[in-house]
Amino acid sequence: MDEIAPAELNLGAARRMLGDLDGAKVMLERARPAIMKRVLDARAPAEKAEATKRACFLGDNLGDLLRDRQGAHAALPVYEDNVRLAADVPDPWFAATASLKLAEACAALGRSPRAHEELSKSLEIAGRARDDEMLASCLLTQGRILSAEGRA
């Protein structure tokens, strides 16, 4: 793997948190090809899981940045990729987070059936994992979605 890509990923995430969205986007997009190549090239299960976690972290940051700058429509494909990627990570937090972010984006775009489908996945994963913090995030998101639909 390009040894600079993990540093670019971390710098991009830090820049996003500090509000430098232009700099963050440059760093994240620069890191993405090498990070994704590592996922494809990984052979051992542990190596694949670590590479995929890193790719999910990148997608999470890039998706959030695109959502904040351009709207949910721009983040949607990144979040959809993250749902597929997270399925290969043993830690359930990744799959729950990916489905939750996709649910939020779908809800923002008025795609209620898909939003509820992804939210249900996230709730199920969080419940099975007994992850109270993720479960609380899911329930909060569920409340926001139902409220926006006039059902809460």
Side-chain angles (χ1 to χ4, degrees):
M1 172 190 346
D2 178 356
E3 295 304 318
I4 295 173
E8 289 174 330
L9 169 56
N10 291 333
L11 281 170
R15 284 184 169 190
R16 186 178 75 79
M17 287 190 286
L18 292 171
D20 177 10
L21 300 184
D22 291 333
K25 188 170 187 277
V26 167
M27 287 289 151
L28 294 170
E29 287 178 341
R30 192 181 309 165
R32 194 170 196 197
I35 298 288
M36 296 309 293
K37 183 177 183 330
R38 178 67 174 195
V39 172
L40 295 173
D41 292 348
R43 296 291 171 240
E47 179 187 12
K48 180 87 165 176
E50 280 306 308
T52 306
K53 283 181 189 179
R54 187 171 277 152
C56 286
F57 179 63
L58 186 146
D60 197 41
N61 276 278
L62 184 59
D64 291 352
L65 183 145
L66 292 170
R67 181 199 62 218
D68 293 347
R69 291 185 85 193
Q70 298 170 269
H73 68 282
L76 192 67
V78 176
Y79 290 151
E80 288 174 331
D81 285 346
N82 257 18
V83 167
R84 284 188 289 279
L85 283 168
D88 291 334
V89 178
D91 183 342
W93 182 88
F94 289 89
T97 299
S99 285
L100 184 60
K101 291 204 175 203
L102 181 55
E104 290 170 343
C106 288
L109 294 169
R111 299 177 185 177
S112 290
R114 179 77 188 276
H116 289 287
E117 176 186 330
E118 292 301 328
L119 184 58
S120 291
K121 286 182 196 175
S122 191
L123 280 162
E124 180 185 332
I125 294 165
R128 262 184 301 152
R130 299 177 192 249
D131 185 334
D132 292 339
E133 189 175 321
M134 177 54 69
L135 196 54
S137 292
C138 292
L139 292 172
L140 181 62
T141 297
Q142 183 179 45
R144 283 195 301 257
I145 290 172
L146 290 173
S147 180
E149 293 173 351
R151 299 190 321 166

